[in-house]
Amino acid sequence: MNSLHSLLASFTAAPHRMFFFGGMLQSVLAMAWWLIDLGGRYGGWYAPPAWSMSPLDAHALLMIYGFFPFFIFGFLMTTYPRWMNGEEVERRHYAPAFVLMLGGVLLFYVGLVGGASLLQIALVLLLTGWALGLHALLRVYLRARHPDKRHATITTVVLVLGWLLLAGFASGEPGLVALAKTGGVWLLLLPVYFAVSHRMIPFFSANAIPHYTVVRPAWALAVIPGGALLYAALEFSGQHQWLWPVDLAMAAVALYLTWAWRLRASLSVPLLAMLHIGFAWLGLALLLSAAQSLVLLATGEFILGKAPLHALVIGYFGSIVFGMATRVTLGHSGRPLVVDRLIWHLFLGVQLVVVLRIAADLFPAHGHGFIASAVLWLLCYGIWAARMIPIHWLPRADDKPG
């Protein structure tokens, strides 16, 4: 009993412990469910399962709103007090948010086989947990008197928007569901991940790369989120042939920062390189999107399918999650900020997942690429989760609180 109490006390000692656990669990569950669906539709292993929701909609919801947000909330609840010299998020605020969000996600899987009513209850739980998490962040944000709240302003605003998009998804109205799928990527995830990258990658790099000059242009915080808003508007209105100017403008910023932040120099420090490599996918994804838009304008053909989307979601968001969660898990558990060969090779495996998924979009005839990328995702994220999750249940190695 004392041992169980000790584990629970450690698990609930800091918000990132609970939320990262949820995200790592979801990295396995969400893709395992998707592989089950792919096995029926493309593998011919059994009759395609009959779900209570369109599998494409369910996949989008589980990844956009049921996987990445656990890491977002866990990270921001940890960093908001440090970004703004604010008060720490208290357990009474973050623990209920986590329990409701995780409960909603787990019930969602039950609802996929048990009926639409369970799906609705699951989404209400997820929305309630999200709202409580927002409340916890807003307490820090509004009470802090730090003069620079730019990054926190972006992440706070888009998390509010993300809640509204998820509520629209929960309504089941086709137009709102479509808006939530587009907006979740461009109005929620991209602004959050770019704001975090802009704030943290130069900071971490300055501590690891000799003679490093911090480059953190304020105008980039306007170009990328602003471009993402315009992109979402064009895509939702079906103007895909006019995405290329927006893509190229954002790509120019991303590629400039990839160079200015010294991707090549980061490769000597694997834990840092994960963040730089992940960020490099942003520029590549936007170039792919620009190429597709230009070809569509010239020929009327949609040649790359969802390859640009998966380069962004798996390449950028997925790689940053892997690298940032690894860094925070190690650093906030009192362990050295060093990754072993296994974790580094698992990260490289995630890069192969991106390549396989892009190839599957380019050559979708048989669906084998979809299955191969899902299997490799499960292998890489599954082993990673098995290595990282136990750390969240154990006291800090340096005996410090948190």
mmCIF file of all heavy atoms in Angstrom, residues 200-224:
data_model
loop_
_atom_site.group_PDB
_atom_site.id
_atom_site.type_symbol
_atom_site.label_atom_id
_atom_site.label_comp_id
_atom_site.label_asym_id
_atom_site.label_seq_id
_atom_site.Cartn_x
_atom_site.Cartn_y
_atom_site.Cartn_z
ATOM 1 N N MET A 200 11.819 27.738 -27.646
ATOM 2 C CA MET A 200 12.665 26.779 -26.958
ATOM 3 C C MET A 200 13.877 26.300 -27.751
ATOM 4 O O MET A 200 14.924 26.018 -27.162
ATOM 5 C CB MET A 200 11.835 25.552 -26.547
ATOM 6 C CG MET A 200 10.637 25.873 -25.652
ATOM 7 S SD MET A 200 11.027 26.887 -24.201
ATOM 8 C CE MET A 200 12.182 25.840 -23.320
ATOM 9 N N ILE A 201 13.776 26.147 -29.075
ATOM 10 C CA ILE A 201 14.908 25.600 -29.827
ATOM 11 C C ILE A 201 16.141 26.494 -29.721
ATOM 12 O O ILE A 201 17.246 25.998 -29.441
ATOM 13 C CB ILE A 201 14.527 25.306 -31.293
ATOM 14 C CG1 ILE A 201 13.517 24.148 -31.354
ATOM 15 C CG2 ILE A 201 15.771 24.960 -32.119
ATOM 16 C CD1 ILE A 201 13.038 23.798 -32.753
ATOM 17 N N PRO A 202 16.039 27.822 -29.891
ATOM 18 C CA PRO A 202 17.237 28.652 -29.690
ATOM 19 C C PRO A 202 17.746 28.599 -28.249
ATOM 20 O O PRO A 202 18.974 28.625 -28.026
ATOM 21 C CB PRO A 202 16.750 30.064 -30.050
ATOM 22 C CG PRO A 202 15.560 29.853 -30.914
ATOM 23 C CD PRO A 202 14.905 28.614 -30.397
ATOM 24 N N PHE A 203 16.837 28.523 -27.295
ATOM 25 C CA PHE A 203 17.242 28.462 -25.887
ATOM 26 C C PHE A 203 18.046 27.197 -25.608
ATOM 27 O O PHE A 203 19.135 27.249 -25.014
ATOM 28 C CB PHE A 203 15.998 28.521 -24.996
ATOM 29 C CG PHE A 203 16.274 28.300 -23.539
ATOM 30 C CD1 PHE A 203 16.871 29.295 -22.770
ATOM 31 C CD2 PHE A 203 15.943 27.100 -22.930
ATOM 32 C CE1 PHE A 203 17.135 29.096 -21.418
ATOM 33 C CE2 PHE A 203 16.203 26.890 -21.582
ATOM 34 C CZ PHE A 203 16.805 27.892 -20.820
ATOM 35 N N PHE A 204 17.519 26.048 -26.022
ATOM 36 C CA PHE A 204 18.238 24.795 -25.806
ATOM 37 C C PHE A 204 19.549 24.768 -26.586
ATOM 38 O O PHE A 204 20.556 24.237 -26.118
ATOM 39 C CB PHE A 204 17.372 23.605 -26.216
ATOM 40 C CG PHE A 204 16.187 23.364 -25.324
ATOM 41 C CD1 PHE A 204 14.986 22.898 -25.851
ATOM 42 C CD2 PHE A 204 16.265 23.578 -23.959
ATOM 43 C CE1 PHE A 204 13.898 22.663 -25.027
ATOM 44 C CE2 PHE A 204 15.174 23.348 -23.128
ATOM 45 C CZ PHE A 204 13.987 22.891 -23.660
ATOM 46 N N SER A 205 19.540 25.337 -27.800
ATOM 47 C CA SER A 205 20.737 25.318 -28.641
ATOM 48 C C SER A 205 21.854 26.146 -28.029
ATOM 49 O O SER A 205 23.035 25.774 -28.093
ATOM 50 C CB SER A 205 20.408 25.842 -30.043
ATOM 51 O OG SER A 205 19.423 25.022 -30.666
ATOM 52 N N ALA A 206 21.497 27.285 -27.428
ATOM 53 C CA ALA A 206 22.510 28.155 -26.826
ATOM 54 C C ALA A 206 23.234 27.469 -25.681
ATOM 55 O O ALA A 206 24.390 27.799 -25.386
ATOM 56 C CB ALA A 206 21.857 29.444 -26.343
ATOM 57 N N ASN A 207 22.555 26.496 -25.050
ATOM 58 C CA ASN A 207 23.167 25.768 -23.940
ATOM 59 C C ASN A 207 24.012 24.581 -24.394
ATOM 60 O O ASN A 207 24.685 23.957 -23.573
ATOM 61 C CB ASN A 207 22.087 25.264 -22.987
ATOM 62 C CG ASN A 207 21.380 26.401 -22.268
ATOM 63 O OD1 ASN A 207 21.988 27.417 -21.974
ATOM 64 N ND2 ASN A 207 20.097 26.238 -22.006
ATOM 65 N N ALA A 208 23.952 24.251 -25.692
ATOM 66 C CA ALA A 208 24.632 23.037 -26.155
ATOM 67 C C ALA A 208 25.623 23.256 -27.297
ATOM 68 O O ALA A 208 26.550 22.463 -27.466
ATOM 69 C CB ALA A 208 23.579 22.000 -26.595
ATOM 70 N N ILE A 209 25.430 24.315 -28.083
ATOM 71 C CA ILE A 209 26.284 24.559 -29.243
ATOM 72 C C ILE A 209 27.239 25.708 -28.917
ATOM 73 O O ILE A 209 26.786 26.803 -28.577
ATOM 74 C CB ILE A 209 25.441 24.909 -30.488
ATOM 75 C CG1 ILE A 209 24.508 23.750 -30.841
ATOM 76 C CG2 ILE A 209 26.342 25.236 -31.671
ATOM 77 C CD1 ILE A 209 23.558 24.052 -31.990
ATOM 78 N N PRO A 210 28.539 25.492 -29.019
ATOM 79 C CA PRO A 210 29.500 26.557 -28.698
ATOM 80 C C PRO A 210 29.331 27.773 -29.605
ATOM 81 O O PRO A 210 29.032 27.645 -30.795
ATOM 82 C CB PRO A 210 30.861 25.881 -28.921
ATOM 83 C CG PRO A 210 30.582 24.403 -28.813
ATOM 84 C CD PRO A 210 29.199 24.206 -29.338
ATOM 85 N N HIS A 211 29.512 28.954 -29.020
ATOM 86 C CA HIS A 211 29.496 30.218 -29.762
ATOM 87 C C HIS A 211 28.174 30.392 -30.531
ATOM 88 O O HIS A 211 28.158 30.842 -31.679
ATOM 89 C CB HIS A 211 30.673 30.303 -30.724
ATOM 90 C CG HIS A 211 31.990 29.947 -30.111
ATOM 91 N ND1 HIS A 211 32.561 30.674 -29.077
ATOM 92 C CD2 HIS A 211 32.852 28.910 -30.353
ATOM 93 C CE1 HIS A 211 33.706 30.123 -28.728
ATOM 94 N NE2 HIS A 211 33.900 29.053 -29.470
ATOM 95 N N TYR A 212 27.097 30.032 -29.882
ATOM 96 C CA TYR A 212 25.781 30.082 -30.531
ATOM 97 C C TYR A 212 25.170 31.472 -30.375
ATOM 98 O O TYR A 212 25.183 32.053 -29.294
ATOM 99 C CB TYR A 212 24.858 29.044 -29.898
ATOM 100 C CG TYR A 212 23.526 28.875 -30.601
ATOM 101 C CD1 TYR A 212 23.424 28.033 -31.710
ATOM 102 C CD2 TYR A 212 22.391 29.541 -30.172
ATOM 103 C CE1 TYR A 212 22.214 27.862 -32.360
ATOM 104 C CE2 TYR A 212 21.179 29.377 -30.815
ATOM 105 C CZ TYR A 212 21.092 28.543 -31.913
ATOM 106 O OH TYR A 212 19.889 28.377 -32.560
ATOM 107 N N THR A 213 24.644 31.988 -31.465
ATOM 108 C CA THR A 213 23.928 33.259 -31.437
ATOM 109 C C THR A 213 22.433 32.991 -31.505
ATOM 110 O O THR A 213 21.959 32.343 -32.449
ATOM 111 C CB THR A 213 24.341 34.153 -32.623
ATOM 112 O OG1 THR A 213 25.750 34.401 -32.552
ATOM 113 C CG2 THR A 213 23.579 35.470 -32.593
ATOM 114 N N VAL A 214 21.693 33.456 -30.518
ATOM 115 C CA VAL A 214 20.248 33.226 -30.487
ATOM 116 C C VAL A 214 19.577 34.081 -31.552
ATOM 117 O O VAL A 214 19.739 35.307 -31.588
ATOM 118 C CB VAL A 214 19.672 33.554 -29.096
ATOM 119 C CG1 VAL A 214 18.146 33.525 -29.131
ATOM 120 C CG2 VAL A 214 20.201 32.574 -28.060
ATOM 121 N N VAL A 215 18.829 33.427 -32.424
ATOM 122 C CA VAL A 215 18.039 34.105 -33.460
ATOM 123 C C VAL A 215 16.578 33.792 -33.177
ATOM 124 O O VAL A 215 16.147 32.646 -33.289
ATOM 125 C CB VAL A 215 18.438 33.630 -34.873
ATOM 126 C CG1 VAL A 215 17.549 34.293 -35.923
ATOM 127 C CG2 VAL A 215 19.903 33.909 -35.139
ATOM 128 N N ARG A 216 15.819 34.832 -32.814
ATOM 129 C CA ARG A 216 14.419 34.615 -32.459
ATOM 130 C C ARG A 216 13.599 35.808 -32.960
ATOM 131 O O ARG A 216 13.085 36.606 -32.167
ATOM 132 C CB ARG A 216 14.287 34.444 -30.941
ATOM 133 C CG ARG A 216 12.950 33.892 -30.492
ATOM 134 C CD ARG A 216 12.881 33.823 -28.972
ATOM 135 N NE ARG A 216 13.584 32.667 -28.435
ATOM 136 C CZ ARG A 216 14.366 32.698 -27.356
ATOM 137 N NH1 ARG A 216 14.565 33.835 -26.723
ATOM 138 N NH2 ARG A 216 14.942 31.598 -26.919
ATOM 139 N N PRO A 217 13.466 35.963 -34.280
ATOM 140 C CA PRO A 217 12.810 37.159 -34.832
ATOM 141 C C PRO A 217 11.328 37.223 -34.466
ATOM 142 O O PRO A 217 10.586 36.252 -34.627
ATOM 143 C CB PRO A 217 12.998 36.996 -36.341
ATOM 144 C CG PRO A 217 13.192 35.522 -36.552
ATOM 145 C CD PRO A 217 13.911 35.029 -35.327
ATOM 146 N N ALA A 218 10.915 38.388 -33.985
ATOM 147 C CA ALA A 218 9.512 38.562 -33.590
ATOM 148 C C ALA A 218 8.579 38.464 -34.783
ATOM 149 O O ALA A 218 7.452 37.978 -34.664
ATOM 150 C CB ALA A 218 9.356 39.910 -32.879
ATOM 151 N N TRP A 219 9.046 38.897 -35.953
ATOM 152 C CA TRP A 219 8.170 38.876 -37.123
ATOM 153 C C TRP A 219 7.764 37.464 -37.526
ATOM 154 O O TRP A 219 6.701 37.260 -38.117
ATOM 155 C CB TRP A 219 8.827 39.590 -38.307
ATOM 156 C CG TRP A 219 10.236 39.180 -38.622
ATOM 157 C CD1 TRP A 219 11.372 39.825 -38.247
ATOM 158 C CD2 TRP A 219 10.665 38.033 -39.386
ATOM 159 N NE1 TRP A 219 12.486 39.160 -38.719
ATOM 160 C CE2 TRP A 219 12.077 38.059 -39.422
ATOM 161 C CE3 TRP A 219 9.995 37.008 -40.033
ATOM 162 C CZ2 TRP A 219 12.829 37.098 -40.078
ATOM 163 C CZ3 TRP A 219 10.735 36.031 -40.693
ATOM 164 C CH2 TRP A 219 12.139 36.075 -40.709
ATOM 165 N N ALA A 220 8.596 36.478 -37.177
ATOM 166 C CA ALA A 220 8.236 35.096 -37.504
ATOM 167 C C ALA A 220 6.989 34.661 -36.754
ATOM 168 O O ALA A 220 6.204 33.836 -37.244
ATOM 169 C CB ALA A 220 9.400 34.162 -37.179
ATOM 170 N N LEU A 221 6.782 35.214 -35.558
ATOM 171 C CA LEU A 221 5.592 34.880 -34.775
ATOM 172 C C LEU A 221 4.323 35.453 -35.387
ATOM 173 O O LEU A 221 3.218 35.053 -35.008
ATOM 174 C CB LEU A 221 5.738 35.399 -33.336
ATOM 175 C CG LEU A 221 6.664 34.607 -32.420
ATOM 176 C CD1 LEU A 221 6.772 35.299 -31.066
ATOM 177 C CD2 LEU A 221 6.165 33.174 -32.249
ATOM 178 N N ALA A 222 4.488 36.400 -36.315
ATOM 179 C CA ALA A 222 3.327 36.914 -37.040
ATOM 180 C C ALA A 222 3.128 36.175 -38.363
ATOM 181 O O ALA A 222 1.997 35.848 -38.735
ATOM 182 C CB ALA A 222 3.498 38.415 -37.298
ATOM 183 N N VAL A 223 4.232 35.870 -39.038
ATOM 184 C CA VAL A 223 4.132 35.276 -40.375
ATOM 185 C C VAL A 223 3.556 33.863 -40.320
ATOM 186 O O VAL A 223 2.619 33.528 -41.068
ATOM 187 C CB VAL A 223 5.509 35.263 -41.071
ATOM 188 C CG1 VAL A 223 5.416 34.511 -42.414
ATOM 189 C CG2 VAL A 223 5.995 36.684 -41.302
ATOM 190 N N ILE A 224 4.076 33.025 -39.430
ATOM 191 C CA ILE A 224 3.633 31.628 -39.436
ATOM 192 C C ILE A 224 2.195 31.477 -38.926
ATOM 193 O O ILE A 224 1.352 30.894 -39.630
ATOM 194 C CB ILE A 224 4.603 30.737 -38.636
ATOM 195 C CG1 ILE A 224 5.989 30.719 -39.298
ATOM 196 C CG2 ILE A 224 4.051 29.309 -38.534
ATOM 197 C CD1 ILE A 224 6.036 30.064 -40.660
#
